[in-house]
Amino acid sequence: MTTLERTPTDAAPLAAAPAEPDAARRDRTGRFRRMKALIRKETLQIVRDPSSLVIAVVLPILLLFLFGFGVSFDVTKMRIGLVIEEPTPETARFEASLSNTPWFRVQVAHDRRAFLDDLTASRLEGVIVLPGDFSERLGRGDSAAVQIITDGTDPNTASLVNGYAQGAWQSWLLQSALSGGKEGAAPISTDPRFWFNPELESRRFLVPGSIALILMMIGSLLTALVVAREWERGTIEALLATPASVTEFLVGKVVPNFVLGLCAMAVSVLFAIFVFDVPMRGSVWALLAASTAFLLVALSSGLLISSLARSQFLASQIAMITAFLPALFFSGFIFEISSMPGPLQAFSAIIPAKYYVRSLQTIFLAGDVGAVLVPSILILAFMSLVLMLLTARFSKMRLD
Amino acid sequence: MPPRLLALIVKELLAAFRDPKARIAFIIPPLMQVFLYAYAATLEVKHASIAVLNEDWGETSRQLVTRLERSSAFAPILWLKSDREIVPVIDSQRVVAVVRIGQDFSRKVAAREPATVQVILDGRKSNTAQILNGYIGSIVTQFAIDQAMGGTDPPDISTVVERSWYNPNRDYATTMVPSLVATLTMTTVLMIMVMSVARERELGTFEQLLVSPLQPHEILIGKAVPGLIVGFVLATAIMLIVTQFFRIPMLGSPLVLYAGLFVFLLAIIGVGLFISSLVSTQQQAMLGAMVYMMPAMMLSGFTSPVQNMPDWLQPVALMNPLTHFLVIVRGVFLRDMPMALVAERIWPMLFIAVFTLTAAGWLFRRKIS
Amino acid sequence: MTGGAAIEAMPDAAPMAIARDLVKRFTPDGPPALDTLSFAIKPGQVTGVAGPDGAGKTTLMRLMAGLLTPTSGSLTVCGFDTIRDSIALHQSIGYMPQRFGLYEDLTVFENLTLYADLRGVVGKERDDTFKRLLAFTDLARFTDRLAGALSGGMKQKLGLACAMLKAPRILLLDEPGVGVDPISRRELWQMVHELTGEGVAVVWTTAYLDEAENCAEVIVLNEGKLLYQGEPKVMTARIGDRAFLLEGAGAERRVVLERALARPDIIDGVLQGAAVRLVTKEGAPPPRPEDIETAQPITIRPAKPRFEDAFVVMLGGQPKRTREMKSAGQIEHREGPAVEALNLTRRFGNFTAADNISFSIRRGEIFGLLGPNGAGKSTTFKMMCGLLRPTSGTARVDGYDLYSAPAAARSRLGYMAQKFSLYGDLTVRQNLDFFGGAYGLMGRAKSEAIERAIAAFDLGPHLSTNAGQLPLGFKQRLALAAAILHNPPVLFLDEPTSGVDPITRREFWGTINAMVSGGVTVMVTTHFMDEAEYCDRVALIYRGRCIALDTPDALQARVKTPELPNPTLEDAFIALVEEQDSQRQAEGAGARLGTAA
């Protein structure tokens, strides 16, 4: 019983009431110190965990390369089969004018059957058929009935092939009409100017767009995973029993991942400019403002996911469904929103990536256009506010 | 089949699908993607917003503008009054293109002088811009030809019979949705495969397997068979959705498609088991699957054609089983591809399957001892 | 009750935690996890919370830490309501959850710093605390090591250090003794006793009753209800003179235990070295030797009751099941020893995890591999199972070499892994089906083996339950059932009852005893002394070498000294390890002198 006899003297100071006059001020410094400690811990974990680095460094670079080199809608040198069923001077002239355009790589045959397999096996993008009575009809002024056959299994390429082939045919026709002495005809042509991207490289809009996808991934997936991991490993239980509050815990998660996101963005931007030759016409400040707003949205959606899913597997699945897929489909980065059915167009309005993709494409290619940037950033800021409030509402500091 | 192997296969199937959360994770994302790809994945240009600035007061320009208005490709046209408005409407992305008809357009046409119509396009969306440029160009050229023919009942000499084989309306859903037989089967089977070894290793049941008399190659086969079964079931389900719900007919022989599917699944299972025996936790397995899946999807011709890739990337695309199977799926569904052409795509996949399965088996055996 | 009187006389010794009619339900209509508990926890002493698995121990700790909301009733800790004043509460408690709560990818020092910042231990106070705690836990040498790379015992000590950073008024420790070897366990107790000396209230949950016996007061829970609160001595005293030791049964002792337990007047029985410990029903006369049929003459003498006896009696005694482990065909025996290790050596780089280990296990013997965490017993065990290829040496099971005839050797052994490692998402029947199939059983043989196992282990009611959701005792049974479906002559058990309560443990060993009586050979690794008591012989593995191999009684006899006339097996274990250490040091010093000279 010696233990018990020693108790009163030692226990007295410990049992003193905690209420002190400067408790509020001390609480503020305590709060700051706790946040700092949590941020430090999170940073160390990020630095030591190879999977965080994979998400933050390897995936962005991989994605940039894929979008920069792998995905391209630029159809240069379309492979065209030209079927001339009966060679005449006219068909030779047409063949020459077709080969002279920069768009086509032309192969010639005299029987359309020669190209059928090639089209089926995707060795050709299209076939132009000049029928046997082509010159006769042309001479008579009849319908020449040129056939353009494209491979509809790739609608985009088919549209482009068809557009360029028709263009080539019509301008050849116009040339013939004019040189054929039809008086009273005036050549009318279009003079297209592609602003911001005169070389028409799809890379220039795909690369900025993919930065949005990368930040969405880092923000929501990584954040959801790191919180779920604390639940899975049981570390959160010890943390919850300390004086740290919900806000402190959330700030501790957000800040390091925010910095990580900014770093990934900086890496991506440098890659975009120096490796992929994407011009940077806007200011760094605009880029920073839009990225900050978007990262906050991504991070808070990750936190929200993690407050609902306490296993890493589930968290990653939810992050894929709610963050990654919508960002891929409804951001207007690859797929054309204005061509989607009405309800889907309306749905795209709540997809944060849409506003960020729009801002990024503008900042990179056009410059600081207030009309695009200001509303986009404001909408993103509003979204992050709503998500953070929801997160604070749903994050419980208890186990039940 | 030896009873040991049968027991293992049954167990693997149960392990993959008994957990309701896992079931949801395997069913919901593929379904969501079917509908997303069917309705949202389009590069088509419809209802594009364009603006017209007509500075010319002549009759000819009005006729041209009327033709633009009648085209179904555009949303209601935005009318501009001065060239100062061009920059803001393009910058703010209100329109993708501005058609500008200069002051002397009618005069030049009347005077038989060459006349031009300026088209300003937003290069931030270069694909849409190019397609729009094509539309506007052909409207203008057609207009020019009609003018040249004298405007009065022009003979229809310019008729071009234009056909898109296999997909006459050049509808995106028609190509995208059947392609899902390949992509969704790949993602699901790959996910199950990468998890299978990693999960057992994390939960400690793998030791239990290794202590049993099961041989390494039996464990490998036992893990591969459920992947095959899941792959066949899922692919069949998507085929049914495609043909029954979306009413896209399958022109070729299902047998040919299943032959390709079998070899494709072997290749994917090989890749999945290879990743799974390389990693030690489920999280790493998931990341591994993602790092493989993204390039596999993008370098397959799924979203953009393989021939658009730079030359040095094309061999990489050919090492990707998905590239080959996509050709088979699209071929069988839309163009009744003959077996001879399918075979050309099967043997590279077979090569990949043999290589990855051997590598996985080797790694597996190495990790055991 | 002088202690109680002393507390009442002291104004500051008011209870640190008070529960009144505390109820916690996780589902509105299910049975409550905690059912109307009322208790008080006093400062300056260790209060043990004991009870079988699923009794509600962890729920109670989480409620006290303010991590769960009580369904009804009140709970105040340090004078704070655990929910309303949770912020203030968290300033004054230290809590160590069951699963460490350490960040494994942070170093020891970083873990300490994190919790110091969170608890507001700064400046000079921090330096002093760190110095004290690091010395206290003997972790000073490892401050730069990642927490994940520490041994189980060191993790527990670090967890404890993190919980103690800001001298808490109440320290809640949830099963700190699980997975910790006897040496580390002793050190943990020393640390805790120093704290109680400073007036801290310590609450320690445990499934090990020798730990509970060390507490000043103990709360016994069962199925959410409080069965007892008070000094363990008082509870032990209730047994009175109903505990006995039966001696002289020798090799027959397992059968004797089984027979004794079949009698209605015996409510508990365990093996204790070469003896059998029995507890009789209240009011029953002392058992006589002639009541129990034996081949050899036996003696029965009264024994000093233990807390464990009282605990088992309080929970209604040892569950009596008829253990029909008679297998379909008799186990076929081959010539030679059942299990043999010949000069097993395993090196990882420069590190020798197992060094020239040899032993041979006779048929029908229970053989134990003992050793502290990280001593090399797991490495040895893994080589014996064929999970790890030895650098040199041979491992044989039933005469088959594990590396030249792996499939044959593996089909002769049953294996039960350390942590529950059946498929948690599969039902009991699916698990049995799989393991039956994996061991090559088919058709009638398989269904008969499964039916037999279901009957023998009473798994019938749980057949369609997911294995992961079974109560621990049933998990244990299922794991064993799966391991022996194919009727193996040799059974390997890796720490089979670590963290398991005494009731479940008795059941488990009862089954094992029945199997051994049927001719099965068992090899078991453990650092839990109760388990070692069941062994015929134990090999003590330390620093990769086998430092002793003998019967438990002989090992105890080896360390007998005038100061320690009745050493327990744990004492023997610690003494032998220390002896080895001092010998090594002497050798090391000698070697250094040798090179210097």
Side-chain angles (χ1 to χ4, degrees):
Chain A
M1 289 299 111
T2 47
T3 315
L4 284 173
E5 276 150 23
R6 276 179 52 193
T7 307
T9 44
D10 286 349
L14 282 169
E20 273 142 60
D22 57 346
R25 186 178 52 79
R26 278 209 331 194
D27 190 52
R28 222 173 306 130
T29 59
R31 162 170 292 227
F32 190 66
R33 187 194 55 241
R34 287 194 294 268
M35 283 199 242
K36 220 171 73 182
L38 286 168
I39 291 170
R40 219 173 80 90
K41 173 217 106 186
E42 200 67 32
T43 313
L44 283 171
Q45 282 189 299
I46 289 173
V47 173
R48 296 215 178 118
D49 183 2
S51 56
S52 316
L53 288 182
V54 169
I55 296 182
V57 180
V58 180
L59 272 185
I61 294 177
L62 185 71
L63 271 174
L64 277 177
F65 265 98
L66 290 172
F67 281 112
F69 292 120
V71 179
S72 165
F73 300 111
D74 312 337
V75 190
T76 51
K77 291 290 173 198
M78 301 174 226
R79 294 165 302 179
I80 292 288
L82 178 63
V83 180
I84 301 174
E85 293 189 339
E86 195 181 300
T88 60
E90 276 82 15
T91 60
R93 274 201 296 128
F94 183 66
E95 184 197 331
S97 80
L98 207 58
S99 305
N100 284 337
T101 64
W103 318 109
F104 300 116
R105 197 155 42 186
V106 183
Q107 298 172 42
V108 182
H110 299 296
D111 190 330
R112 66 177 75 194
R113 274 167 300 185
F115 290 132
L116 290 186
D117 264 8
D118 291 331
L119 200 60
T120 311
S122 295
R123 286 189 289 258
L124 286 181
E125 272 85 54
V127 177
I128 301 175
V129 182
L130 304 182
D133 51 358
F134 174 75
S135 297
E136 270 172 55
R137 285 183 183 215
L138 203 64
R140 283 204 310 268
D142 274 359
S143 161
V146 174
Q147 262 190 43
I148 301 174
I149 302 166
T150 49
D151 177 2
T153 55
D154 181 354
N156 191 52
T157 306
S159 296
L160 289 172
V161 169
N162 185 48
Y164 285 116
Q166 293 227 22
W169 164 246
Q170 283 167 337
S171 55
W172 179 77
L173 208 60
L174 194 60
Q175 290 294 314
S176 323
L178 292 176
S179 56
K182 293 253 183 210
E183 289 299 318
I188 309 175
S189 57
T190 54
D191 169 21
R193 306 219 177 134
F194 292 91
W195 282 9
F196 314 127
N197 185 7
E199 297 85 2
L200 287 177
E201 283 180 43
S202 57
R203 184 192 289 174
R204 290 199 168 177
F205 72 93
L206 286 176
V207 168
S210 61
I211 295 178
L213 216 55
I214 291 164
L215 291 197
M216 196 70 206
M217 288 260 293
I218 294 180
S220 69
L221 184 63
L222 196 59
T223 317
L225 282 180
V226 293
V227 182
R229 192 170 55 195
E230 298 230 11
W231 283 106
E232 255 178 25
R233 294 192 183 164
T235 46
I236 204 156
E237 210 176 320
L239 215 56
L240 293 184
T242 69
S245 69
V246 187
T247 335
E248 289 159 18
F249 180 73
L250 294 182
V251 169
K253 288 280 170 203
V254 167
V255 172
N257 286 303
F258 179 76
V259 174
L260 188 69
L262 280 187
C263 291
M265 186 208 64
V267 170
S268 310
V269 167
L270 292 177
F271 252 82
I273 296 172
F274 292 107
V275 179
F276 298 111
D277 279 337
V278 179
M280 171 76 185
R281 302 203 171 99
S283 67
V284 175
W285 300 115
L287 182 66
L288 216 54
S291 303
T292 303
F294 181 70
L295 260 178
L296 286 179
V297 176
L299 289 169
S300 38
S301 68
L303 288 176
L304 188 60
I305 291 167
S306 68
S307 65
L308 304 172
R310 289 178 181 179
S311 84
Q312 295 189 63
F313 181 68
L314 202 60
S316 66
Q317 290 294 329
I318 298 181
M320 281 307 253
I321 296 175
T322 60
F324 190 73
L325 283 180
L328 184 64
F329 280 99
F330 297 104
S331 61
F333 137 65
I334 294 185
F335 302 115
E336 192 53 58
I337 295 176
S338 62
S339 305
M340 291 179 194
L344 291 184
Q345 286 193 39
F347 176 68
S348 76
I350 61 161
I351 301 303
K354 174 182 173 172
Y355 302 98
Y356 189 51
V357 166
R358 177 183 284 181
S359 309
L360 281 177
Q361 288 177 345
T362 302
I363 294 168
F364 273 102
L365 299 176
D368 294 350
V369 180
V372 174
L373 297 181
V374 174
S376 296
I377 293 174
L378 284 180
I379 291 171
L380 287 175
F382 175 73
M383 284 178 168
S384 66
L385 190 71
V386 171
L387 284 169
M388 280 182 182
L389 288 176
L390 281 175
T391 311
R393 169 94 179 64
F394 283 117
S395 295
K396 281 184 299 187
M397 288 308 264
R398 285 195 223 301
L399 298 171
D400 55 352
Chain B
M1 194 184 294
R4 293 196 297 229
L5 201 51
L6 186 70
L8 185 60
I9 292 168
V10 170
K11 190 241 21 170
E12 290 294 334
L13 279 174
L14 288 170
F17 286 100
R18 259 190 64 84
D19 180 16
K21 273 188 216 153
R23 269 202 304 262
I24 291 173
F26 289 130
I27 294 170
I28 301 290
L31 261 184
M32 258 183 72
Q33 288 184 54
V34 169
F35 287 92
L36 279 177
Y37 276 107
Y39 296 114
T42 177
L43 293 166
E44 230 170 325
V45 179
K46 286 189 284 195
H47 324 293
S49 39
I50 65 163
V52 170
L53 172 61
N54 189 358
E55 294 165 319
D56 178 62
W57 294 96
E59 177 64 22
T60 329
S61 69
R62 209 154 337 124
Q63 280 170 8
L64 178 60
V65 167
T66 316
R67 289 209 181 185
L68 286 174
E69 262 183 301
R70 278 206 303 245
S71 165
S72 61
F74 310 128
I77 288 171
L78 180 75
W79 303 102
L80 302 185
K81 292 192 181 61
S82 89
D83 57 0
R84 278 197 308 269
E85 287 177 83
I86 296 176
V87 173
V89 292
I90 294 265
D91 273 1
S92 65
Q93 299 187 325
R94 279 191 63 197
V95 298
V96 188
V98 174
V99 178
R100 182 183 183 177
I101 305 172
Q103 282 175 4
D104 47 2
F105 179 77
S106 297
R107 187 190 58 76
K108 277 187 175 164
V109 174
R112 324 262 186 264
E113 281 173 39
T116 51
V117 173
Q118 203 179 51
V119 184
I120 297 151
L121 296 127
D122 184 351
R124 280 173 289 184
K125 298 186 171 214
S126 69
N127 194 53
T128 308
Q130 274 185 83
I131 291 173
L132 266 188
N133 181 41
Y135 288 163
I136 297 169
S138 66
I139 290 171
V140 170
T141 314
Q142 186 64 49
F143 180 72
I145 292 165
D146 294 349
Q147 288 289 315
M149 290 303 141
T152 50
D153 193 22
D156 197 13
I157 73 154
S158 60
T159 302
V160 168
V161 180
E162 171 241 314
R163 279 192 210 139
S164 280
W165 280 8
Y166 319 122
N167 179 10
N169 299 326
R170 292 203 288 263
D171 184 19
Y172 270 84
T174 308
T175 44
M176 280 299 198
V177 177
S179 307
L180 299 177
V181 173
T183 55
L184 293 185
T185 307
M186 178 185 89
T187 49
T188 310
V189 170
L190 194 71
M191 221 43 183
I192 293 176
M193 287 296 111
V194 294
M195 286 300 193
S196 68
V197 181
R199 177 169 52 203
E200 294 219 32
R201 210 169 256 151
E202 217 174 282
L203 297 181
T205 49
F206 203 58
E207 289 198 349
Q208 200 70 261
L209 277 190
L210 296 183
V211 172
S212 76
L214 285 164
Q215 302 282 313
H217 71 266
E218 287 178 318
I219 299 181
L220 206 67
I221 296 172
K223 294 214 168 276
V225 170
L228 276 177
I229 295 175
V230 169
F232 271 105
V233 170
L234 189 67
T236 309
I238 300 171
M239 280 181 217
L240 287 176
I241 294 179
V242 172
T243 51
Q244 304 307 310
F245 186 84
F246 291 103
R247 300 269 160 209
I248 299 169
M250 191 195 292
L251 300 179
S253 145
L255 281 181
V256 173
L257 188 57
Y258 277 112
L261 180 65
F262 177 70
V263 183
F264 173 66
L265 285 175
L266 284 184
I268 292 304
I269 289 167
V271 172
L273 287 178
F274 179 76
I275 296 174
S276 199
S277 38
L278 209 60
V279 301
S280 46
T281 65
Q282 294 186 65
Q283 196 190 349
Q284 287 173 4
M286 228 145 54
L287 279 175
M290 229 142 70
V291 169
Y292 174 79
M293 247 179 315
M294 290 198 178
M297 293 279 262
M298 287 180 199
L299 302 181
S300 66
F302 178 54
T303 37
S304 72
V306 173
Q307 63 268 15
N308 289 3
M309 291 174 202
D311 292 339
W312 56 269
L313 252 184
Q314 305 235 358
V316 179
L318 291 180
M319 291 185 323
N320 179 3
L322 186 60
T323 310
H324 301 289
F325 189 53
L326 268 177
V327 173
I328 296 178
V329 168
R330 287 178 179 168
V332 171
F333 255 97
L334 304 172
R335 14 167 122 144
D336 189 12
M337 199 182 230
M339 191 60 208
L341 284 177
V342 172
E344 268 178 39
R345 296 295 183 160
I346 285 186
W347 75 260
M349 292 199 294
L350 197 62
F351 180 77
I352 298 166
V354 169
F355 179 77
T356 52
L357 282 170
T358 318
W362 179 77
L363 251 183
F364 205 67
R365 225 170 304 185
R366 211 177 59 112
K367 281 235 172 176
I368 286 173
S369 64
Chain C
M1 290 293 279
T2 49
I7 287 168
E8 274 158 38
M10 290 179 283
D12 280 321
M16 275 295 185
I18 304 166
R20 284 202 189 89
D21 301 325
L22 182 65
V23 177
K24 175 69 193 175
R25 283 173 198 275
F26 289 103
T27 47
D29 23 75
L34 288 178
D35 194 359
T36 355
L37 300 191
S38 300
F39 60 82
I41 285 168
K42 302 186 191 88
Q45 65 177 31
V46 181
T47 305
V49 177
D53 302 295
K57 300 189 295 277
T58 297
T59 307
L60 179 62
M61 295 300 255
R62 288 179 172 167
L63 280 166
M64 297 215 288
L67 299 179
L68 289 175
T69 320
T71 310
S72 68
S74 76
L75 178 63
T76 50
V77 175
C78 304
F80 303 112
D81 183 287
T82 53
I83 296 306
R84 264 181 291 122
D85 310 320
S86 66
I87 292 176
L89 171 73
H90 289 158
Q91 306 271 11
S92 6
I93 63 165
Y95 172 55
M96 184 167 114
Q98 207 168 2
R99 285 156 64 201
F100 305 124
L102 297 172
Y103 289 96
E104 306 222 327
D105 38 9
L106 261 52
T107 65
V108 170
F109 190 75
E110 285 159 358
N111 267 295
L112 279 172
T113 312
L114 169 67
Y115 284 99
D117 278 328
L118 291 180
R119 296 207 169 272
V121 181
V122 285
K124 183 158 181 330
E125 186 192 354
R126 171 185 299 197
D127 296 340
D128 294 345
T129 314
F130 278 15
K131 213 174 283 167
R132 188 169 52 85
L133 284 175
L134 286 173
F136 192 34
T137 53
D138 198 24
L139 285 169
R141 289 168 293 160
F142 304 112
T143 47
D144 290 334
R145 191 180 286 192
L146 292 184
L150 295 176
S151 74
M154 293 204 288
K155 275 183 194 165
Q156 291 292 40
K157 284 194 264 181
L158 176 59
L160 196 55
C162 288
M164 295 182 351
L165 271 164
K166 173 117 187 177
R169 295 167 67 198
I170 183 165
L171 181 61
L172 307 170
L173 306 174
D174 198 1
E175 304 228 3
V178 173
V180 175
D181 65 64
I183 298 174
S184 308
R185 212 139 66 97
R186 254 181 212 196
E187 287 166 353
L188 277 179
W189 270 102
Q190 277 162 10
M191 288 168 66
V192 166
H193 277 308
E194 275 188 44
L195 275 183
T196 54
E198 291 162 19
V200 176
V202 175
V203 184
W204 175 305
T205 70
T206 182
Y208 298 146
L209 297 176
D210 53 336
E211 281 183 355
E213 205 165 5
N214 276 340
C215 300
E217 238 187 290
V218 64
I219 292 174
V220 179
L221 293 178
N222 187 34
E223 291 178 347
K225 293 194 178 62
L226 190 142
L227 295 187
Y228 175 81
Q229 182 182 14
E231 285 181 69
K233 266 190 301 194
V234 177
M235 188 168 136
T236 311
R238 289 184 186 177
I239 293 293
D241 48 7
R242 284 152 54 205
F244 300 92
L245 271 185
L246 184 156
E247 283 165 326
E252 216 187 345
R253 63 192 191 284
R254 288 194 186 93
V255 188
V256 169
L257 173 63
E258 234 177 297
R259 281 191 205 130
L261 278 173
R263 293 176 56 85
D265 57 327
I266 306 288
I267 55 172
D268 185 27
V270 287
L271 293 184
Q272 194 178 344
V276 180
R277 185 182 187 90
L278 298 171
V279 179
T280 57
K281 207 175 204 165
E282 204 165 359
R288 292 167 303 166
E290 51 274 28
D291 292 341
I292 298 160
E293 274 176 58
T294 50
Q296 287 175 359
I298 51 165
T299 56
I300 296 184
R301 62 177 174 88
K304 194 168 164 271
R306 296 187 306 193
F307 182 69
E308 184 166 330
D309 300 331
F311 180 84
V312 174
V313 168
M314 181 172 276
L315 293 174
Q318 184 167 356
K320 299 196 175 188
R321 294 191 291 118
T322 45
R323 296 191 182 84
E324 280 298 326
M325 284 318 295
K326 284 190 197 71
S327 42
Q330 263 308 305
I331 290 162
E332 317 152 31
H333 284 297
R334 287 166 39 104
E335 288 302 307
V339 179
E340 223 178 347
L342 291 173
N343 309 103
L344 278 182
T345 300
R346 174 72 202 201
R347 276 186 280 273
F348 296 101
N350 287 329
F351 173 67
T352 307
D355 188 2
N356 210 19
I357 288 176
S358 297
F359 53 80
S360 138
I361 308 178
R362 288 188 298 270
R363 304 202 172 276
E365 191 180 21
I366 301 185
F367 186 85
L369 283 176
L370 254 73
N373 305 79
K377 68 176 189 304
S378 297
T379 309
T380 311
F381 190 78
K382 281 191 175 143
M383 287 191 286
M384 295 309 297
C385 301
L387 285 173
L388 199 65
R389 190 178 281 275
T391 313
S392 67
T394 327
R396 285 206 193 102
V397 170
D398 209 27
Y400 292 105
D401 188 301
L402 266 163
Y403 297 94
S404 61
R410 282 178 191 157
S411 62
R412 312 292 291 166
L413 69 84
Y415 168 78
M416 193 175 142
Q418 183 169 356
K419 54 177 186 175
F420 174 73
S421 62
L422 298 181
Y423 297 93
D425 294 335
L426 266 56
T427 65
V428 169
R429 183 177 274 285
Q430 287 163 345
N431 267 293
L432 290 172
D433 272 339
F434 168 63
F435 282 102
Y439 280 92
L441 296 176
M442 55 197 289
R444 272 227 355 240
K446 179 169 151 188
S447 51
E448 275 173 17
I450 291 174
E451 288 314 318
R452 216 166 39 238
I454 292 170
F457 292 94
D458 283 345
L459 292 169
H462 296 281
L463 281 181
S464 47
T465 313
N466 277 7
Q469 265 134 40
L470 287 174
L472 190 76
F474 276 93
K475 277 186 186 166
Q476 211 77 25
R477 285 191 210 168
L478 175 60
L480 187 58
I484 61 171
L485 271 179
H486 59 298
N487 222 9
V490 176
L491 192 54
F492 285 176
L493 309 170
D494 194 4
E495 301 197 5
T497 60
S498 175
V500 169
D501 67 75
I503 304 281
T504 315
R505 206 151 62 215
R506 276 167 171 68
E507 270 191 61
F508 181 83
W509 281 102
T511 315
I512 297 288
N513 278 341
M515 290 171 57
V516 170
S517 311
V520 173
T521 309
V522 176
M523 183 175 81
V524 55
T525 68
T526 185
H527 50 230
F528 185 57
M529 293 307 137
D530 263 29
E531 274 177 1
E533 297 266 11
Y534 285 93
C535 298
D536 292 301
R537 287 189 302 150
V538 295
L540 188 53
I541 312 281
Y542 185 58
R543 290 184 189 266
R545 281 192 289 176
C546 179
I547 61 169
L549 198 168
D550 218 328
T551 63
D553 284 344
L555 288 180
Q556 278 161 268
R558 248 171 84 171
V559 301
K560 200 180 264 181
T561 56
E563 300 89 65
L564 201 64
N566 266 322
T568 61
L569 196 52
E570 181 167 328
D571 295 325
F573 174 95
I574 292 170
L576 287 168
V577 164
E578 280 168 355
E579 182 187 307
Q580 184 71 14
D581 273 341
S582 55
Q583 211 174 319
R584 259 180 88 90
Q585 262 164 10
E587 272 171 26
R592 274 197 298 278
L593 283 178
T595 45

